Every structure is written in structure tokens, then in C-alpha cells.
Amino acid sequence: MPKFACKDLGMECGWEAEADTMDELMQKIADHAKHDHGMEEIPPELVEQVKKVIKD
Ligand SMILES: [Zn+2]
């Protein structure tokens, strides 16, 4: 199951999530980034970094 934690990117944030699919997980990450990090959207460079640290 794909898993992601903000601290994997060196963020000082205790949030983590897992989902059944990569797409679902990316959607959760986008929602979290918007609500808790004030990012309207995740820039492509960050998406690449996120994908690198996701464990599945
Ligand atoms: Zn976070």
C-alpha cells in the first residue's frame, strides 16, 4: 500500500497517509498540502520528489 509522510521530505509536519492506489494517495497529499501548507497546487518538481519517497 503506498504511504507518504511529510517528514520524508524534511517537513516539520507529523502528517502521514496511505491509500490503496498511488492516485488516491496523491489526491490525499494534494488536499493536505492545500489545507495545512497553504499550497493551492503542488508544483511538478514537488510531485516528483513526493513520488520518489513514497513507499509501496
Ligand atoms: Zn504536512
Side-chain angles (χ1 to χ4, degrees), residues 9-39:
L9 288 182
M11 311 266 262
E12 289 188 26
C13 173
W15 185 85
E16 48 184 56
E18 59 182 22
D20 291 331
T21 65
M22 189 78 160
D23 283 351
E24 225 178 286
L25 185 56
M26 289 306 296
Q27 190 55 55
K28 286 188 182 187
I29 294 168
D31 286 348
H32 168 70
K34 187 171 180 175
H35 293 122
D36 295 306
H37 294 283
M39 297 170 73

